[in-house]
Amino acid sequence: MEKVLTLSEAISKYVHSGDNICFGGFTTNRKPYAAAREILRQGLTDFIVYAGPAGGDWDMMIGEGRVKAYINCYTADSGVTNVSRRYRKAYEEGKLIMEDYSQDAVMMMLHAASLGLPFLPVRLMMGSSLVDMWGISKEVRKTIPKLPEDKFVYIDNPFNPGEKVVALPVPKLDTAIIHVQKAAPDGTCSIEGDEFHDVDIAVAAKNVIVTCEELVSNEQIRLDPTKNSIPPFCVSAVVHAPFGAHPSQCYNYYDYDNPMLKEYGEASKTEEDFKAFVDKYVYGPKTHEDYLDLVGASRLVGLYNVPGYGYATKELKK
Amino acid sequence: MADYTNYTNKEMQAVTIAKVIENGQIVIVGTGLPLIGASLAKRVFAPGCQLIVESGLMDCSPIEVPRSVGDNRFMAHCAVQWPNVRFIGFEANEWLHDNDRLIAFIGGAQIDPYGNVNSTSIGDYHHPKTRFTGSGGANGIATFANTVIMMQHEKRRFMDKIDYITSPGYIDGPDGRAKMGLPTNRGPQMVVTDRGIMKFDEKTKRMYLAGYYPTSSPEDVIEHTGFEIDVSRAVALDAPDPEVIRMIREEIDPGQAFIQVPKD
């Protein structure tokens, strides 16, 4: 089945306001930025967000007021900002409803979702404020139907009575969006480098949008199935979006655009500068292709990874 | 000829970290100082150590300094690129198998006498004065692995009671971890600051000063610690070897990504 759509078609068909949603990638690596910018352009909002290790992707969404509830473990463009500024501001001012879990907990909750488990027992978070403090109270949770009523519950290990463990809810994802190096029209995906939690959310979510650096034929991607990690039937839409992770990095393809991440980090310090940034880079360009034109070809090719390194090393230019 | 005797407290901290690491250990690193320290350990003090990161990258040997634990610079040249859940499972299994190979570095904004660390927020949790990134992998690490905690040594950070426990230490004393259902044979081993090394008393599990830098003193540590701290066991630590400082500046972090070289 042919699943190739334009970015605009894929987002309007498979992302809905109010969805339980999760993005792939890790802070500044393989974040589906092109899709995030298109979601902003289409005005979609009220998301229940299962943010894995997030960065500017979710910081922008929060800054634009699109997040109804934020399930989080980490938000920063690590190495660029110590904490994402719109996220910090929104929470400090009481404008963001959020729940803290440890990163391990979030990653295992998403993995549990991929396994179809009813709940998830862990030894994590005990003895910490992650269990003592609830960001979203039971009362508030009852008003958000897509959130479980409890952050967690303590249970007794049925196989070792007396041992207390933490039972975590398993998210029911409506939508997952991931950016990969190669995808075929039928939805088969090949991820190079660390897959992070991307395969888990691709299996768990009802609708999965894949943006890709290279669109390759169904025959080509099957030449070496050991390199593939997502089968066709887990994917709803395939979008060809070269540099779709920009300004984050993409293993074997391009590095992060550190000046751009810095520009965002600076701009996001104030509401005015943040608005100017998103007006310029998100709402200004009408399509992903317009965005690439705006950023500029020489800037983008300057980010190309050096074969054998996996990033844009300066070593060879010495 | 560059001067390598003008070491900074940050460099002293990095060298101190490097000396903690032993051959054969598997070191959970993040970025920043621990990465510089671990890279130094791999070159000089414990070449047989292996570095892993919470994003799932195993036995890393980055050529350029990575800025994040998911950086392509960590990914390239590592042994295995596991998804993050495999790292989590590995960490737990090291404890289940009673292996004692893991040592981990975590940081924080506040710490109490029992090594409980806050890296989540300052002030009231719901209306914080300052909100940080979130816990990242630190909670799981503090649950299952022995840790070395990196801190800036200031009175407002070394507190009797911290605002939020992100990473559990010994909770409130010797039985603290058992009461909470945490692995009892794990916990903080040491706190490395810009003034010295704190360890934890075997009986009380309370922090004491074990060593201070040439630029510091027991009195200085008392002055900058917000709770009562025993300094009776403290020893003076040696200044770092200039060759080691040269290595940090010229080979490990030449771009000064994490350690600034003092200006002449």
Side-chain angles (χ1 to χ4, degrees):
Chain A
M1 197 182 121
E2 178 77 20
K3 292 171 185 165
V4 179
L5 297 178
T6 66
L7 184 57
S8 160
E9 288 167 345
I11 299 298
S12 66
K13 188 167 180 191
Y14 291 111
V15 184
H16 312 97
S17 290
D19 275 357
N20 270 5
I21 192 168
C22 185
F23 288 169
F26 199 101
T27 65
T28 57
N29 201 327
R30 233 165 24 70
K31 279 286 172 190
Y33 267 103
R37 288 186 287 261
E38 180 60 24
I39 289 172
L40 285 170
R41 283 195 288 271
Q42 292 196 14
L44 299 161
T45 189
D46 285 337
F47 296 115
I48 312 291
V49 178
Y50 286 82
D57 52 343
W58 282 112
D59 193 60
M60 276 198 309
M61 292 286 184
I62 291 167
E64 282 296 272
R66 308 301 179 85
V67 175
K68 187 176 178 98
Y70 195 54
I71 311 302
N72 187 232
C73 56
Y74 185 94
T75 304
D77 283 335
S78 181
V80 180
T81 56
N82 292 329
V83 66
S84 292
R85 302 287 175 164
R86 291 294 97 198
Y87 156 74
R88 165 183 272 189
K89 191 87 177 159
Y91 188 68
E92 286 174 0
E93 290 180 351
K95 290 176 182 160
L96 178 66
I97 297 178
M98 71 167 286
E99 193 67 86
D100 270 303
Y101 287 97
S102 91
Q103 185 168 292
D104 313 58
V106 172
M107 293 304 203
M108 286 174 77
M109 283 155 77
L110 296 171
H111 188 55
S114 83
L115 298 176
L117 298 179
F119 70 91
L120 171 73
V122 297
R123 291 192 183 87
L124 297 161
M125 310 204 307
M126 296 186 296
S128 80
S129 306
L130 287 156
V131 291
D132 296 336
M133 305 280 205
W134 288 39
I136 312 176
S137 67
K138 268 197 181 212
E139 293 67 41
V140 173
R141 285 170 169 272
K142 279 185 184 146
T143 67
I144 305 174
K146 287 197 171 184
L147 274 187
E149 281 186 21
D150 295 284
K151 177 178 185 178
F152 77 97
V153 290
Y154 277 123
I155 59 169
D156 204 50
N157 177 353
F159 301 100
N160 184 19
E163 186 194 6
K164 189 173 62 169
V165 298
V166 170
L168 295 169
V170 175
K172 295 184 180 70
L173 293 180
D174 296 310
T175 313
I177 304 184
I178 63 176
H179 182 76
V180 305
Q181 283 86 354
K182 291 189 186 81
D186 70 0
T188 309
C189 296
S190 164
I191 296 176
E192 297 172 36
D194 199 325
E195 69 181 53
F196 306 122
H197 56 293
D198 295 29
V199 177
D200 285 334
I201 63 175
V203 175
K206 260 185 271 179
N207 293 313
V208 177
I209 298 174
V210 169
T211 57
C212 63
E213 289 300 321
E214 290 189 70
L215 190 58
V216 300
S217 71
N218 296 335
E219 294 72 28
Q220 172 79 19
I221 209 161
R222 281 168 168 70
L223 288 177
D224 187 358
T226 57
K227 287 183 177 162
N228 300 340
S229 40
I230 299 174
F233 30 78
C234 289
V235 173
S236 320
V238 175
V239 176
H240 185 211
F243 281 99
H246 181 270
S248 71
Q249 55 188 183
C250 185
Y251 193 70
N252 279 341
Y253 282 70
Y254 47 91
D255 218 324
Y256 35 58
D257 187 338
N258 216 33
M260 171 80 90
L261 292 172
K262 274 188 188 156
E263 188 183 339
Y264 179 76
E266 281 303 311
S268 58
K269 282 180 181 170
T270 69
E271 185 70 26
E272 298 70 38
D273 291 351
F274 169 72
K275 288 290 179 204
F277 184 96
V278 291
D279 280 346
K280 180 177 176 188
Y281 290 110
V282 179
Y283 302 114
K286 295 301 163 214
T287 63
H288 177 59
E289 289 68 27
D290 289 346
Y291 170 84
L292 296 182
D293 286 343
L294 175 67
V295 174
S298 62
R299 178 170 186 160
L300 292 172
V301 296
L303 301 172
Y304 276 160
N305 284 354
V306 174
Y309 279 79
Y311 51 92
T313 183
K314 293 185 181 72
E315 289 292 311
L316 300 184
K317 292 181 183 170
K318 272 182 181 172
Chain B
M1 183 66 191
D3 180 12
Y4 299 114
T5 60
N6 61 345
Y7 65 93
T8 63
N9 283 344
K10 271 207 163 175
E11 285 169 332
M12 181 75 195
Q13 222 175 326
V15 175
T16 306
I17 294 165
K19 287 180 177 170
V20 169
I21 298 167
E22 292 168 21
N23 264 328
Q25 278 183 330
I26 301 166
V27 189
I28 304 174
V29 290
T31 53
L33 275 186
L35 175 63
I36 304 299
S39 304
L40 188 60
K42 216 170 153 66
R43 278 166 189 260
V44 184
F45 304 107
C49 72
Q50 287 163 306
L51 313 187
I52 68 176
V53 287
E54 69 196 42
S55 54
L57 307 172
M58 298 284 126
D59 198 6
C60 304
S61 42
I63 299 172
E64 268 180 35
V65 180
R67 289 171 184 273
S68 121
V69 294
D71 195 328
N72 286 352
R73 282 156 186 74
F74 258 137
M75 243 173 243
H77 319 297
C78 75
V80 179
Q81 299 167 338
W82 262 344
N84 177 262
V85 287
R86 290 260 172 267
F87 162 86
I88 299 163
F90 175 72
E91 192 177 62
N93 273 294
E94 284 293 290
W95 171 68
L96 288 167
H97 301 157
D98 208 16
N99 289 335
D100 204 13
R101 301 180 291 178
L102 282 184
I103 184 140
F105 293 90
I106 60 173
Q110 297 177 331
I111 189 166
D112 73 13
Y114 297 102
N116 304 301
V117 173
N118 173 14
S119 58
T120 299
S121 62
I122 302 286
D124 175 62
Y125 173 62
H126 296 281
H127 306 95
K129 205 169 132 265
T130 311
R131 168 74 206 195
F132 302 119
T133 52
S135 56
N139 177 271
I141 288 167
T143 299
F144 290 112
N146 287 328
T147 57
V148 175
I149 301 159
M150 311 292 309
M151 291 286 299
Q152 263 178 281
H153 208 136
E154 296 170 15
K155 213 166 195 156
R156 63 189 179 109
R157 298 177 183 275
F158 281 66
M159 311 165 77
D160 257 320
K161 199 176 177 326
I162 60 179
D163 295 340
Y164 186 99
I165 298 179
T166 312
S167 311
Y170 296 109
I171 310 293
D172 58 359
D175 315 325
R177 288 180 71 89
K179 278 188 295 191
M180 292 295 162
L182 289 163
T184 53
N185 55 348
R186 296 289 189 267
Q189 305 299 299
M190 184 182 292
V191 185
V192 178
T193 76
D194 47 345
R195 298 179 196 277
I197 298 175
M198 279 30 72
K199 289 186 179 171
F200 295 87
D201 185 85
E202 268 182 43
K203 283 212 178 85
T204 65
K205 297 297 181 191
R206 227 188 122 91
M207 196 189 295
Y208 68 90
L209 179 68
Y212 54 91
Y213 301 157
T215 51
S216 184
S217 67
E219 294 71 33
D220 177 60
V221 167
I222 289 171
E223 197 192 320
H224 291 93
T225 304
F227 49 79
E228 214 170 290
I229 187 161
D230 172 22
V231 298
S232 65
R233 286 169 266 185
V235 299
L237 301 168
D238 294 335
D241 190 325
E243 168 56 19
V244 167
I245 298 299
R246 186 200 63 78
M247 214 173 263
I248 293 175
R249 292 180 189 174
E250 308 299 332
E251 296 175 20
I252 296 172
D253 188 15
Q256 301 182 39
F258 294 112
I259 300 187
Q260 295 290 318
V261 173
K263 294 196 173 69
D264 294 328

